[in-house]
Amino acid sequence: MLVCAATLVAALGATRAYAADIGYLALPGVPATELPSPQRTVAPIVSPSRSTEKHRDTLNEAGEIARLLELKPGMTVGDIGAGSGYHTVRLSRLVGPSGSVVAQDVTRKYLVELARRTKRLKLTNVVFALGEPHDPRLPASSLDAAILVHMYHEIAQPYAFLYNLAPALKPGARVGIVDLERPMSEHGTPIEPLRCELTAVGYREIAAYQLAGDGGYLAVFSPPDQASRKSPRDIVACGDRAGAR
């Protein structure tokens, strides 16, 4: 299923409840072969959730991320790598009926189960978007903000993925990446390699925050605008570093 930004909200009824309708929301972006592969470890996808929701609520993880990213009712927010939907569910309530949440993942079975969950909870403002390891497959200028929570280390083609994510972000949008300061082989992302990879694609760091407890850090970036967007051939991969392995 392919929809453009103007029909994103109109697609809610079809995408929200029916597993058979979960698919790509946009045509393919730039192929992975046109951008460099990462020169460091990529962690395997092992679970749709990092920790129990009760523990994450104790740390106010969703509330802190929403506050620091200034997420508000009426926004369209992308939950990239939505998994079991911890943030999707909470964002749905935060943005309210005038807003929407795009739950995106490369693992279709996670989205199918999340669609069932949102149906049980009667959340009517969630759209489901299947992606590819190099391309989130999201409509152009559809997102006011995007969050990537404890999943960046699992992106198999980060340069292509970030390159193809940028057009989906509206002018002034923010990207919030949450991860742990530990090696990628241990399902974390040291912040310096993260900064290097996003900078290589043209993203600009706005701020970085330490989250409560074992929540890790939140790094906030602005995407490259269309006028200053690099050509894929001009993007150079960051060198491998021991701390990123």
Side-chain angles (χ1 to χ4, degrees):
M1 180 178 61
L2 302 175
V3 299
C4 66
T7 58
L8 182 62
V9 176
L12 281 168
T15 327
R16 175 171 52 87
Y18 302 105
D21 291 323
I22 294 175
Y24 304 122
L25 293 188
L27 293 169
V30 176
T33 53
E34 293 191 21
L35 290 112
S37 294
Q39 304 300 304
R40 44 81 174 168
T41 299
V42 174
I45 299 172
V46 295
S47 172
S49 181
R50 183 185 78 91
S51 182
T52 67
E53 296 199 0
K54 181 178 179 180
H55 175 66
R56 297 171 83 172
D57 281 345
T58 298
L59 299 176
N60 191 30
E61 178 181 309
E64 277 294 276
I65 292 171
R67 180 182 66 83
L68 294 169
L69 285 176
E70 300 181 358
L71 304 182
K72 297 178 174 63
M75 284 185 168
T76 296
V77 181
D79 184 6
I80 310 300
S84 63
Y86 172 79
H87 284 284
T88 294
V89 168
R90 287 153 181 80
L91 286 170
S92 171
R93 293 162 178 155
L94 186 153
V95 301
S98 62
S100 59
V101 180
V102 180
Q104 187 274 350
D105 209 290
V106 298
T107 305
R108 191 174 184 277
K109 66 180 180 180
Y110 293 168
L111 295 177
V112 170
E113 185 54 39
L114 182 52
R116 295 182 181 130
R117 180 182 184 185
T118 56
K119 186 177 182 180
R120 288 194 302 269
L121 295 173
K122 300 181 180 179
L123 303 177
T124 60
N125 61 349
V126 179
V127 180
F128 299 93
L130 185 65
E132 299 179 82
H134 73 287
D135 187 352
R137 298 288 294 269
L138 298 174
S141 300
S142 58
L143 302 179
D144 295 296
I147 61 170
L148 294 77
V149 181
H150 294 294
M151 56 74 68
Y152 186 85
H153 49 270
E154 297 174 348
I155 300 176
Q157 296 289 339
Y159 299 102
F161 193 91
L162 291 168
Y163 194 86
N164 287 318
L165 173 63
L169 297 159
K170 297 178 184 178
R174 294 291 181 264
V175 177
I177 300 178
V178 175
D179 221 317
L180 302 172
E181 188 67 47
R182 66 188 187 196
M184 293 185 179
S185 59
E186 299 176 17
H187 285 269
T189 304
I191 197 165
E192 288 306 322
L194 177 80
R195 286 169 170 152
C196 185
E197 292 184 357
L198 273 94
T199 299
V201 183
Y203 288 73
R204 184 171 63 90
E205 185 175 359
I206 302 301
Y209 306 95
Q210 186 65 41
L211 300 176
D214 62 353
Y217 62 80
L218 166 66
V220 183
F221 295 85
S222 63
D225 58 37
Q226 191 63 35
S228 62
R229 197 175 181 214
K230 295 181 179 181
S231 168
R233 66 176 177 271
D234 293 330
I235 294 173
V236 178
C238 301
D240 193 8
R241 304 180 186 184
R245 293 176 184 169

